Amino acid sequence: MKKEPINISRRDFLIQSSTLGAGLSLGLYLPLTGCDNKGEQGAAQISAPDVPEVNAWVVIKPDDTVIIRIARSEMGQGTLTGLAQMVAEELECDWSKVTTEYPTPGQNLARDKVWRSFSTGGSQGIRGSHLYVRKAGAVARHMLVQAAAEQWDVPIGECQAANSVITHTPSGRSTTYGKVAVAAAELFPPELVELKDPKDWRLIGKPIKRLDTDDKLNGKQIFGTDLKLPDMLNAAIKACPVFGGKLKSFDDSKVKKMPGVRKVVEVDGYAVAVVADTWWQAKTALDALPISWDEGANANVSTASIEQMLDAGLTSSDKVFVGNEQGNVKNALRGAVKKIEATYRYPFQHHATMEPMNATARWTKDKCEVWCPTQNGEAALEATAKAAGLPITKCDVYKLHLGGGFGRRGAFHDFVEQAVAIAKQMPGTPIKLLWTREEDMAHGHYHPFTKCKLVGGLDKKGNLTGLHVRISGQSILASVRPQWMKNGVDMITFQGFHAEGDHAISYSVPNLLVDHAMRNPPVPPGFWRGVNINQNAIYMECFIDELAHATGKDPLAFRRQLMAEHPKSLAVLNAVAKKAGWGKPAAKGVHRGLAVVKTFGSHVAACAEVSVNSKGKLKIHRIVAATDPGHAVNPQQIEAQVEGSFVFGLSALLYGECTVKGGAVEQSNFHDYPSMLIKEMPKVDVIVMPSGGFWGGIGEPTIAVAAPAVLNAIFAATGKRIRELPLKTSQPQLV
Amino acid sequence: MARLNINGKVIDVEVDGSTPLLWVLREQLGLTGTKYSCGTGICGACTVHINGEAVRACTIPVSTLDTAQAIVTIEGLSTDNSHPLQQAWKELDVPQCGYCQSGMIMTAAVLLKKKPNPSDSDIDNAVTNICRCGTFNRVRKGIHLAANINKRGRS
Ligand code: FES
Ligand code: FES
């Protein structure tokens, strides 16, 4: 078995012992700041334990309760349970005794980031932390076993741990983790630990139940919106609806006397908030408040003006960046016997988390605390410190359970900045800021609007000899993470088209050019579950289908021909084709469509079955979906994520579009930004086929294959190729 | 001032009559299991029971209610997660983020009362709640399972 070096242990030890000032103890008592451990005040946060921690990740109580610390956020995707499974796997503890708690980002900073990344996005929760959390479990196990061995005065090699029980094999003596945890906390962590061979895993790979279900069944789960602190006041906010616009003036004399109103405040020059005893009073007063806006330079921006810009980009050579180039596309297309060309369109989308944006802040000149649902505690802490005007060491963030994230609550903490800005104007009073749904719709960080022109060249045998993919539209990175760009190129734009890596194209095309005309409208873009693979998979997978039909070949056979060098993608494609019965007749009126991609490190494919009746009404009967994530930590949660991702992807396909008029988003609530319902939900057959050897993501990948598989099935059913989304606008008769 | 009948108790609340029931539950009474999401009656996150009907609490001004309306919230469904829907939900790990789930469960509870053995199309018609995490297929399974648990309990 391979010895895994513990990079963290020695350094960790030095930092921790110096933090303590003296002594050899690894057991740290963490200060309880502001938040009760669970209950009234929200999610379980680290509090002063009644026993010292074995290491940063593991606390074991005398009654054998195991507390596993979780740095990433739980927002429904099941990462909390998956991470605990991985620690527990190596810890060899009794799973029925496992509970979890969140360290705060402030505690993480104070301990030199012992818990590493808090960022929960990019389907990284499991795959980005599996090695160090498994090591953390293994280190803790080693220390517990060593403590028992020392108590018995026997060689550690004669002792074994299983299910929280340590046994000295030769003598048959045994003890439990709870009995030796205090002694274990005094020990040095080992320099090296062995991680288990995957074939010996007993928790990883098992369809274990989630740890966080009970409170979601009876209303006890505290979300950000539910937080209640002593003497807390509530705030409702309105920011200038036009992107980039400013607050000109407001007349608070009209609302000051309304019931419960405490204060009307300006927020950072672009918004105004009413603070009242209850949120309903704050919102009622805000609705009555006369406000005038300085709409600024974007007041004339519209969907049409943006689309014009994108259309020009489809054929321009200005500000064009190359994402992948193989061979010589120009020559290949010139020499092609047949050329196929198509242009697709994918509109702005909104995250529309069920829980609107919110945060609670308490500011004094010495300290600022924030309670909020966030996908990235560290980023929330940075936003807090900046808005508070205080050193980061005087701030902390207590993470609350998220009512959905989907990318909205990771890179952006505008709601935190606002809550702090309001709280700063009422020192010492906790202020809970909650956005209305309308405010939430108006101030999203939208999935970019892009268009794509594809030109494919075929030889006389129908082989694809050249392919030019021109994407025109907004770069997320240019706006959100310019520091991640290389030579002006936003590689995330090319998800699914990369030459290699987590988002590599699944086909071998001898002459390929994928380029991006960067056209950045003044609409704030953001990472939206799946990010750019959503539209890129539609562009590529629908166009491949077009090419197959142009050559008269079966879409499965046509794809297979191009996938010889991509065996793992081919395997998931074959799996869905087999399970769906591709090539065999479907039920009367039912037609099939395929899609396959590699994204977020996983290989995924889907086969959709749809019918379209004589009135043009679409029914999606079933989607068969296969995922090869390398290692599958919790297959039943993968199944839940696949089904859920289809609701997200299909809602976008059927209904999702934010349009812009007068520099503002026109949609305001679920009546004009609908989300699909249970009656529209197809049966989903999930195939989880981990092939081992790598760690791919789960939360996002399959979202990308739902829409193209359905669109290809619609073509098979109707002979009509839909290239503009959503279906409700391009083909109203279809829904 | 309103006098309400909530989870079997009569409670007096000091509140403006135009306030929606949702906000009285959440802010005056601390019953935060009932959620705000759309505020316009579309999403179902705020679903409660009034005299046995599933009702969207964000659309009901509290002035229209008195003690003749028996209101049940998620907190009043059971005290110990023993309602068949809660059992089924637990068995199938239905919730993802959980934000819509109070509303889902309260909607399904009325359906099961009216139709102890609902068909898929009964479910399609009754459950019009939005779930952005996409728990629909497990919600459907959960309702069928709860119907079975009920049946077992009766026989
Ligand atoms: S909050 Fe009441 S229906 Fe959405
Ligand atoms: S479980 Fe998250 S919205 Fe339904």
Side-chain angles (χ1 to χ4, degrees):
Chain A
M1 207 176 292
K2 204 169 108 220
K3 292 262 186 192
E4 290 284 351
I6 306 295
N7 304 326
I8 50 168
S9 62
R10 178 60 57 186
R11 198 168 130 256
D12 213 30
F13 167 72
L14 293 172
I15 287 153
Q16 291 181 15
S17 51
S18 68
T19 314
L20 282 173
L24 296 174
S25 174
L26 277 184
L28 268 192
Y29 293 90
L30 293 158
L32 170 67
T33 33
C35 222
D36 283 353
N37 190 22
K38 208 156 174 185
E40 290 293 290
Q41 314 252 315
Q45 313 278 352
I46 288 193
S47 55
D50 36 21
V51 287
E53 62 186 35
V54 179
N55 65 14
W57 301 86
V58 175
V59 178
I60 295 176
K61 297 201 178 189
D63 67 357
D64 288 323
T65 302
V66 179
I67 302 170
I68 295 177
R69 306 241 172 92
I70 306 290
R72 313 254 185 184
S73 299
E74 176 58 48
M75 50 189 160
Q77 84 283 33
T79 299
L80 181 103
T81 305
L83 289 170
Q85 273 176 266
M86 292 198 290
V87 175
E89 178 71 61
E90 294 293 342
L91 183 58
E92 298 290 5
C93 66
D94 179 351
W95 178 254
S96 70
K97 300 264 167 61
V98 169
T99 62
T100 59
E101 63 184 10
Y102 287 149
T104 72
Q107 290 166 334
N108 195 40
L109 261 192
R111 294 180 65 178
D112 198 33
K113 300 205 178 192
V114 64
W115 291 286
R116 307 219 187 172
S117 177
F118 278 50
S119 169
T120 317
S123 295
Q124 282 287 351
I126 300 287
R127 66 188 176 120
S129 37
H130 70 90
L131 191 57
Y132 59 82
V133 300
R134 286 187 294 142
K135 279 183 191 172
V139 168
R141 180 199 67 232
H142 184 98
M143 292 161 75
L144 289 157
V145 175
Q146 191 186 338
E150 286 182 9
Q151 274 174 17
W152 292 326
D153 200 16
V154 299
I156 184 170
E158 290 179 8
C159 300
Q160 275 182 340
N163 231 22
S164 292
V165 175
I166 305 158
T167 308
H168 178 236
T169 321
S171 69
R173 267 178 299 186
S174 71
T175 186
T176 67
Y177 281 5
K179 295 202 178 89
V180 297
V182 173
E186 299 286 325
L187 298 172
F188 281 93
E191 288 277 358
L192 292 171
V193 281
E194 285 176 3
L195 292 184
K196 290 163 90 170
D197 191 298
K199 73 172 171 25
D200 299 323
W201 285 341
R202 56 185 187 93
L203 289 171
I204 299 177
K206 297 286 178 310
I208 288 172
K209 293 246 163 65
R210 295 176 69 117
L211 294 168
D212 57 344
T213 298
D214 286 353
D215 287 356
K216 295 174 182 172
L217 306 179
N218 52 26
K220 278 202 196 116
Q221 177 74 58
I222 300 291
F223 293 85
T225 48
D226 304 327
L227 186 74
K228 191 157 188 182
L229 297 174
D231 303 320
M232 185 181 85
L233 296 176
N234 290 275
I237 195 164
K238 217 175 254 179
C240 181
V242 176
F243 297 118
K246 300 254 174 297
L247 177 66
K248 205 191 272 170
S249 63
F250 57 89
D251 180 5
D252 62 359
S253 68
K254 294 271 190 301
V255 305
K256 261 187 170 157
K257 300 234 157 56
M258 287 177 72
V261 172
R262 299 290 191 100
K263 207 167 187 169
V264 183
V265 298
E266 179 184 324
V267 182
D268 295 339
Y270 72 95
V272 56
V274 176
V275 180
D277 292 340
T278 69
W279 184 78
W280 184 254
Q281 291 168 332
K283 188 228 174 237
T284 306
L286 184 62
D287 287 345
L289 181 71
I291 310 171
S292 66
W293 306 110
D294 169 6
E295 296 186 338
N298 298 326
N300 292 323
V301 174
S302 66
T303 299
S305 72
I306 297 169
E307 187 145 13
Q308 229 172 28
M309 193 162 107
L310 265 51
D311 282 339
L314 289 174
T315 49
S316 163
S317 52
D318 184 35
K319 286 208 213 75
V320 173
F321 302 97
V322 174
N324 190 358
E325 185 167 20
Q326 315 285 335
N328 187 325
V329 159
K330 244 193 198 155
N331 288 347
L333 291 179
R334 207 178 292 128
V337 171
K338 196 168 181 182
K339 259 195 339 192
I340 308 292
E341 191 178 311
T343 300
Y344 285 78
R345 171 190 197 268
Y346 192 89
F348 289 116
Q349 303 287 338
H350 197 284
H351 296 87
T353 57
M354 285 303 277
E355 179 192 33
M357 296 305 111
N358 68 87
T360 302
R362 177 167 55 204
W363 185 93
T364 65
K365 60 183 187 354
D366 306 313
K367 190 175 189 184
C368 184
E369 293 168 290
V370 164
W371 294 256
C372 69
T374 171
Q375 290 176 242
N376 188 342
E378 288 173 295
L381 178 60
E382 279 163 28
T384 298
K386 206 166 142 227
L390 289 169
I392 202 160
T393 48
K394 298 201 165 192
C395 302
D396 211 346
V397 168
Y398 311 108
K399 294 196 295 179
L400 297 172
H401 204 83
L402 290 77
F406 313 127
R408 176 62 179 86
R409 293 179 157 113
F412 316 100
H413 288 88
D414 36 2
F415 48 95
V416 169
E417 290 159 18
Q418 292 174 351
V420 172
I422 299 165
K424 222 173 152 176
Q425 301 180 55
M426 304 184 80
T429 303
I431 306 288
K432 178 160 84 181
L433 169 69
L434 168 64
W435 291 14
T436 57
R437 172 63 54 196
E438 289 76 11
E439 187 68 10
D440 199 282
M441 286 300 299
H443 295 288
H445 292 267
Y446 303 85
H447 183 300
F449 173 16
T450 63
K451 296 188 96 167
C452 182
K453 184 175 165 197
L454 303 103
V455 188
L458 300 161
D459 67 14
K460 60 177 183 305
K461 286 195 193 132
N463 296 310
L464 179 62
T465 51
L467 176 66
H468 180 198
V469 180
R470 163 62 63 87
I471 300 164
S472 176
Q474 193 165 16
S475 153
I476 300 174
L477 295 190
S479 161
V480 182
R481 292 274 184 278
Q483 67 275 24
W484 290 1
M485 296 174 73
K486 288 195 189 94
N487 304 323
V489 186
D490 173 355
M491 279 307 284
I492 288 178
T493 300
F494 300 104
Q495 276 175 300
F497 288 117
H498 291 172
E500 55 187 19
D502 281 359
H503 298 279
I505 186 167
S506 290
Y507 303 113
S508 305
V509 185
N511 301 288
L512 174 73
L513 175 62
V514 188
D515 54 14
H516 171 213
M518 195 184 293
R519 297 294 180 270
N520 294 330
V523 174
F527 304 109
W528 187 94
R529 190 176 184 181
V531 193
N532 290 309
I533 194 65
N534 295 301
Q535 73 275 16
N536 288 352
I538 292 173
Y539 301 155
M540 186 64 191
E541 286 305 295
C542 291
F543 191 66
I544 280 282
D545 215 67
E546 294 202 41
L547 292 169
H549 285 285
T551 60
K553 284 188 192 154
D554 171 76
L556 176 62
F558 187 77
R559 283 181 173 83
R560 279 178 176 161
Q561 237 176 276
L562 300 169
M563 294 178 77
E565 288 164 35
H566 306 271
K568 297 213 169 190
S569 290
L570 181 59
V572 288
L573 180 66
N574 284 335
V576 295
K578 184 160 175 235
K579 171 111 187 169
W582 187 269
K584 295 185 194 131
K588 194 163 174 286
V590 173
H591 298 265
R592 299 191 179 111
L594 291 169
V596 58
V597 294
K598 181 185 184 194
T599 188
F600 299 95
S602 289
H603 302 267
V604 294
C607 179
E609 296 180 329
V610 314
S611 61
V612 181
N613 74 10
S614 57
K615 293 199 192 91
K617 198 162 164 43
L618 167 73
K619 182 165 172 60
I620 307 168
H621 298 267
R622 174 171 80 141
I623 302 182
V624 179
T627 301
D628 177 2
H631 292 294
V633 174
N634 189 330
Q636 69 95 354
Q637 279 305 303
I638 294 177
E639 180 188 282
Q641 283 307 294
V642 171
E643 290 180 354
S645 78
F646 286 175
V647 174
F648 217 68
L650 294 176
S651 290
L653 170 72
L654 297 170
Y655 304 115
E657 177 169 28
C658 289
T659 52
V660 179
K661 193 174 164 189
V665 159
E666 290 188 274
Q667 288 66 29
S668 63
N669 206 317
F670 288 120
H671 68 287
D672 51 12
Y673 191 80
S675 195
M676 70 186 282
L677 300 177
I678 201 168
K679 67 170 187 230
E680 296 154 312
M681 182 69 190
K683 181 170 185 284
V684 178
D685 284 336
V686 178
I687 305 167
V688 182
M689 42 187 288
S691 60
F694 65 99
W695 295 76
I698 289 298
E700 294 168 279
T702 45
I703 187 178
V705 284
V710 167
L711 287 168
N712 290 336
I714 291 174
F715 177 80
T718 63
K720 254 199 231 153
R721 187 60 69 179
I722 296 169
R723 303 189 184 92
E724 309 233 320
L725 301 184
L727 296 184
K728 74 163 182 195
T729 47
S730 70
Q731 302 285 324
Q733 75 276 21
L734 272 174
V735 184
Chain B
M1 169 88 167
R3 173 163 287 196
L4 302 172
N5 173 351
I6 294 179
N7 297 333
K9 280 194 206 121
V10 172
I11 303 172
D12 288 323
V13 199
E14 200 58 56
V15 69
D16 188 292
S18 64
T19 309
L21 173 62
L22 169 64
W23 293 101
V24 176
L25 293 173
R26 292 182 53 80
E27 302 203 288
Q28 266 81 18
L29 301 174
L31 296 171
T32 53
T34 306
K35 302 298 183 208
Y36 164 72
S37 183
C38 71
T40 54
I42 306 168
C43 76
C46 64
T47 304
V48 298
H49 300 172
I50 299 185
N51 290 341
E53 297 291 333
V55 168
R56 297 190 169 176
C58 67
T59 60
I60 303 189
V62 75
S63 61
T64 63
L65 302 168
D66 59 36
T67 52
Q69 278 89 37
I71 301 164
V72 179
T73 69
I74 184 75
E75 291 88 350
L77 192 67
S78 80
T79 50
D80 53 359
N81 278 357
S82 61
H83 188 282
L85 283 163
Q86 291 168 321
Q87 290 180 45
W89 251 235
K90 168 102 178 153
E91 171 67 30
L92 299 171
D93 255 5
V94 173
Q96 290 190 28
C97 82
Y99 199 79
C100 72
Q101 295 293 324
S102 301
M104 284 282 184
I105 291 172
M106 294 307 277
T107 304
V110 170
L111 170 65
L112 282 183
K113 266 252 165 71
K114 294 186 172 174
K115 299 200 169 164
N117 205 0
S119 66
D120 277 340
S121 78
D122 292 333
I123 293 172
D124 286 347
N125 292 330
V127 182
T128 55
N129 304 45
I130 295 177
C131 172
R132 291 288 285 167
C133 295
T135 60
F136 296 136
N137 286 358
R138 289 190 178 188
V139 166
R140 186 186 298 284
K141 273 190 212 137
I143 295 172
H144 288 309
L145 178 57
N148 277 331
I149 295 172
N150 259 333
K151 238 186 279 169
R152 282 206 298 273
R154 274 197 305 272
S155 58

